[in-house]
Amino acid sequence: MHRIDVLDESTRLVRVESGASWGAVATALHPYGWAITSGDHGAVGVGGLATAGGIGLLGREQGLTIDRLRAADVVLADGRRLRASADEHPELFWGIRGAGFALGVVTAFEFTAGPVGLLGHARLVHDATDTAEFLQDWAAVAGSAPRDTTAFLTIGQPYGRKVIAQSTILVDSEDPGVIRDRLQPFADLAPSPAQRVGLVDYSDVVSEAGPSSPAYGEPVSRSGLLDRLTPAAARAAARLVTSGESYFFPLRAMGGAIADADPADTAFAHRSAAFQVVATGTEPDVLDRYWEPLRSQLSGLYVSFETDTRPERLAEAFPPDTLARLVALKRRYDPRNLFHDNFDLAPVL
Ligand SMILES: Cc1cc2nc3c(=O)[nH]c(=O)nc-3n(C[C@H](O)[C@H](O)[C@H](O)COP(=O)(O)OP(=O)(O)OC[C@H]3O[C@@H](n4cnc5c(N)ncnc54)[C@H](O)[C@@H]3O)c2cc1C
């Protein structure tokens, strides 16, 4: 189930079956000069990301992936198939956009793609050894960038006392002057030992990982949303990074078009979040020791990337009004809780 079909060229309406990868979607839409904002990695599947949120490198311009969704074909727990959209089963359509994992199996999505030309793409390596200060400065630049610019930061394990960070920045412009203007504040943040800037297609940005780069094992990860990167949050994140216990620490800029939607529009309600943050490690207890101080600064939880799916985390993922609507939907469409493998809603049903 990985077909990708253009339904209507004049409205850029695209039907994507849920087994497609985001790399395949980007490649299929490239000849039309279109893109649907997705994650940063082409091997990620359409199904999970498009039912959770979808925080991507065109996010500040296009919103979340779920904001591009116009309709979904769903198989319900009782085997019924139906189509959910703003006009057909609208409450289910609301729930699928942020909590699809609990409500049914989406077999196909209809999205409105956005027009894109060549994009300015940069990878800037930064010396982030003054980690807390660097994080705050980076957040100030990424959070105040124009909507045509979305930046993701990744920090790995420290090298001795050195912390190296990498910004991946996408600028929706073909104009070298505009691209330079958008990138300069990032380049000025800290000494930058390596930089690569070019004009690319969106499909190049999310190109699939080949068979030579498999992923093994079961990582432990924590996933949060931040309305602001406060000094306390930056200090907690710096302690986590310099501890060496997180081998992969991404900070993704949100805001822009993501914040245009009302929190009640979709089951992903955290529209005020300016950043999404993830820490990935190997031992839950060890990672949590460093994550807890950061957690106290979070405004919510993004269900993708979170491996702690205990019921007490539900309240972080879904504010009270959202959770109440979700519970009502669950009682209506999955009263026997068939879909419990991800975050299990049983304790609140
Ligand atoms: C390398 C990498 C990079 C990533 N980058 C980003 C990023 O930039 N932005 C971002 O937002 N996320 C990102 N993610 C997280 C991604 O959104 C989740 O991992 C997502 O669950 C992947 O979807 P999948 O279909 O590939 O996974 P799966 O493992 O197939 O699905 C995960 C869960 O989603 C639910 N689900 C999957 N398909 C369906 C369906 N058709 N109907 C209903 N529920 C379904 C199920 O509960 C399932 O257990 C990244 C993940 C990886 C591994």
Side-chain angles (χ1 to χ4, degrees), residues 196-283:
R196 201 181 69 198
V197 181
L199 280 171
V200 297
D201 300 318
Y202 185 69
S203 55
D204 297 328
V205 177
V206 294
S207 55
E208 304 229 15
S212 57
S213 54
Y216 296 108
E218 286 290 326
V220 175
S221 61
R222 299 290 175 260
S223 170
L225 297 161
L226 288 158
D227 277 357
R228 265 179 351 108
L229 193 82
T230 58
R235 282 196 300 274
R239 273 196 298 276
L240 197 157
V241 164
T242 52
S243 73
E245 297 297 345
S246 175
Y247 56 82
F248 183 59
F249 180 88
L251 187 65
R252 296 181 166 90
M254 298 173 63
I258 295 172
D260 288 346
D262 189 276
D265 286 350
T266 60
F268 180 105
H270 300 288
R271 296 293 177 165
S272 58
F275 301 100
Q276 188 235 338
V277 59
V278 175
T280 309
T282 49
E283 297 296 331

Side-chain angles (χ1 to χ4, degrees), residues 18-20 22 38-41 43-57 65 100-109 152 248 252 276 302 304-305 341-343:
S18 53
W22 284 107
S38 58
D40 54 7
H41 202 282
V44 169
V46 166
L49 185 134
T51 49
I55 298 164
L57 279 163
T65 305
F101 62 87
L103 299 171
V105 177
V106 178
T107 54
F109 300 84
F152 286 5
F248 183 59
R252 296 181 166 90
Q276 188 235 338
Y302 177 44
S304 275
F305 288 117
D341 274 349
N342 204 312
F343 282 82

Side-chain angles (χ1 to χ4, degrees), residues 57 60 122-127 134-146 148-153 165-171 178-195 197 251 253 275:
L57 279 163
R60 289 172 59 78
R123 288 194 197 279
L124 310 183
V125 176
H126 315 272
D127 180 342
F134 173 80
L135 284 170
Q136 274 210 272
D137 293 347
W138 188 92
V141 171
S144 61
D148 59 14
T149 301
T150 304
F152 286 5
L153 185 76
Q166 180 181 277
S167 292
T168 303
I169 308 160
L170 204 62
V171 182
V178 172
I179 295 169
R180 197 175 35 240
D181 283 354
R182 303 294 191 256
L183 298 181
Q184 197 62 51
F186 290 95
D188 291 343
L189 284 172
S192 179
Q195 306 180 340
V197 181
L251 187 65
F275 301 100

